[in-house]
Amino acid sequence: MKQVTASMAGTVWNIAVSQGDEVAAGQSVVVLESMKMEIPIEAETAGTVEEIKVAVGDFVNEGDVLVVLA
């Protein structure tokens, strides 16, 4: 199991993947909004989206798990 985590605190603005999607290393999976800026969060490794732990509008802290990859 690989986890994609938030690199900073912010609000989930967009989720760019769905459960079951194949993602490549470096692909944006979630976009956070913080201080009026959009920050793409990228998968560090390739995999299949097993679980999405957040919803649009959720507030997340640095280190929170956003997406689980298999």
Side-chain angles (χ1 to χ4, degrees):
M1 299 273 205
K2 298 163 246 176
Q3 298 179 333
V4 179
T5 58
S7 58
M8 62 172 34
T11 303
V12 177
W13 186 78
N14 184 39
I15 300 171
V17 295
S18 299
Q19 190 168 354
D21 286 357
E22 294 287 329
V23 295
Q27 179 179 338
S28 177
V29 293
V30 174
V31 179
L32 298 181
E33 186 274 327
S34 180
M35 301 183 334
K36 307 286 184 201
M37 294 174 35
E38 295 172 18
I39 299 98
I41 306 299
E42 300 172 346
E44 293 183 8
T45 58
T48 303
V49 177
E50 187 167 288
E51 185 177 1
I52 299 171
K53 299 267 195 182
V54 295
V56 172
D58 286 355
F59 181 82
V60 296
N61 289 302
E62 182 177 351
D64 285 356
V65 176
L66 307 174
V67 176
V68 177
L69 303 176

